[in-house]
Amino acid sequence: MTPTNATRAWLGTIEELILHGANVAPRGQPTLELPQHTIAVDLEHPVVVAPTRKVSEKFLGAEAYWILSGDDRVETIAPYNKNIAQFSDDGERFFGAYGPKILDQLEYVVGKLIEDEDTRQAGLTLWRENPPATKDVPCTIAMFFSIRDGRLNSHVYMRSSDVWLGVPYDVFNFSMVAMLVLCRLNAGRASAYAGSERARVIEPGALYLTAASRHLYERNQAAALEVLHSDAWRPVTGPVPRNLWISERTLMKTLDAIRNCEEAAKWWNK
């Protein structure tokens, strides 16, 4: 599977669902579904740009910043999304928040990659075993990272993935997690192997986003068809600036600027 930019990958997935999706109805909601489906995205082009699918740029940056900060509080993300608080059980924190789990395991992931560039053990889990009754069951099970041919690849495994509502944000968020791994990895390599051949930086590779259920709800199908028929695409966006996968400080500053709607931070408009 050849990685492509986020917009093309997203459009292709919508088309697959419209043409080949099976009819299912979880919780009584008519849905088209592709089982065990993988999207391959170039990590340097992680932004879906669509004229008839208004992805909130402010929330795009805010959620990624929130996750990379290891945050799980309602008060720090709710100002960027008026609907998100309803998924908290107590109005204070989110049971299924990714950030704390990612940061708790990030040192292990980076350590494994530095220890052995060919490792197959650089993984972290986001699922909660035997989850209780909650409004916020995690959609993502695990993330694994691998270095091949000098590039970092991110492999994400999800139980459930909504192509219309979730995929544009998931692709960006998981790509930014990969950028954080790259920042930590490259900083570690620079200090450990300065002056040697192994001191070369690791570059962004691909994001492989696999879902047990990739789906499109019936209520979003008309909008999905409209987006497929639109001819106003800008599928090739600006690549991720190099500093985003070299400097953790720059990465976080950029996400902060995006959530505050600072135009200079939006490299994909170039």
Side-chain angles (χ1 to χ4, degrees):
M1 178 174 286
T2 303
T4 185
N5 68 67
T7 302
R8 287 197 179 111
W10 180 68
L11 281 172
T13 303
I14 291 175
E15 185 174 30
E16 282 186 74
L17 276 159
I18 295 293
L19 294 176
H20 306 297
N23 290 299
V24 297
R27 302 186 308 281
Q29 301 182 66
T31 308
L32 292 175
E33 180 182 71
L34 291 171
Q36 193 59 26
H37 184 269
T38 298
I39 295 173
V41 177
D42 181 345
L43 279 172
E44 294 195 74
H45 296 272
V47 182
V48 170
V49 180
T52 59
R53 170 62 173 98
K54 299 301 182 184
V55 175
S56 169
E57 294 177 343
K58 190 171 184 177
F59 185 60
L60 205 67
E63 188 176 28
Y65 186 95
W66 187 70
I67 291 171
L68 269 58
S69 299
D71 208 343
D72 65 356
R73 293 170 293 167
V74 173
E75 65 178 331
T76 48
I77 192 64
Y80 302 96
N81 186 318
K82 64 182 181 180
N83 298 314
I84 199 168
Q86 66 182 299
F87 297 104
S88 170
D89 298 317
D90 60 6
E92 295 183 5
R93 297 184 181 277
F94 291 95
F95 172 78
Y98 298 159
K101 295 277 284 184
I102 288 172
L103 284 200
D104 281 349
Q105 299 169 81
L106 196 63
E107 183 177 351
Y108 167 81
V109 167
V110 174
K112 281 293 179 182
L113 293 167
I114 290 175
E115 177 185 300
D116 177 6
E117 189 170 301
D118 294 330
T119 187
R120 295 172 298 189
Q121 298 180 16
L124 59 86
T125 55
L126 297 173
W127 183 249
R128 276 63 159 174
E129 293 183 5
N130 303 312
T134 177
K135 300 176 185 177
D136 190 29
V137 177
C139 290
T140 306
I141 309 302
M143 300 181 69
F144 274 79
F145 301 88
S146 60
I147 299 171
R148 297 294 183 267
D149 299 321
R151 294 182 178 274
L152 180 76
N153 299 312
S154 176
H155 311 265
V156 180
Y157 305 92
M158 305 183 72
R159 63 170 182 85
S160 175
S161 174
D162 183 326
V163 71
W164 185 255
L165 296 177
V167 166
Y169 297 98
D170 289 337
V171 166
F172 186 78
N173 287 331
F174 294 131
S175 295
M176 293 304 104
V177 173
M179 295 301 158
L180 180 59
V181 171
L182 276 168
C183 288
R184 299 276 180 98
L185 182 63
N186 284 326
R189 292 173 67 85
S191 61
Y193 305 113
S196 72
E197 176 63 22
R198 287 183 61 102
R200 73 190 190 283
V201 297
I202 303 300
E203 298 183 357
L207 168 69
Y208 297 97
L209 187 62
T210 300
S213 169
R214 184 90 62 206
H215 53 265
L216 175 65
Y217 287 109
E218 183 180 74
R219 61 179 177 268
N220 296 320
Q221 288 174 23
L225 282 170
E226 181 183 357
V227 88
L228 282 180
H229 294 152
S230 172
D231 61 359
W233 294 109
R234 285 189 57 196
V236 179
T237 57
V240 172
R242 181 181 176 87
N243 275 353
L244 261 67
W245 42 276
I246 298 295
S247 166
E248 185 173 340
R249 182 172 179 269
T250 300
L251 172 61
M252 298 305 290
K253 283 184 66 177
T254 300
L255 294 176
D256 183 47
I258 294 169
R259 69 176 180 169
N260 287 306
C261 298
E262 296 177 16
E263 291 294 330
K266 298 170 188 172
W267 70 85
W268 58 86
N269 288 330
K270 297 179 180 178

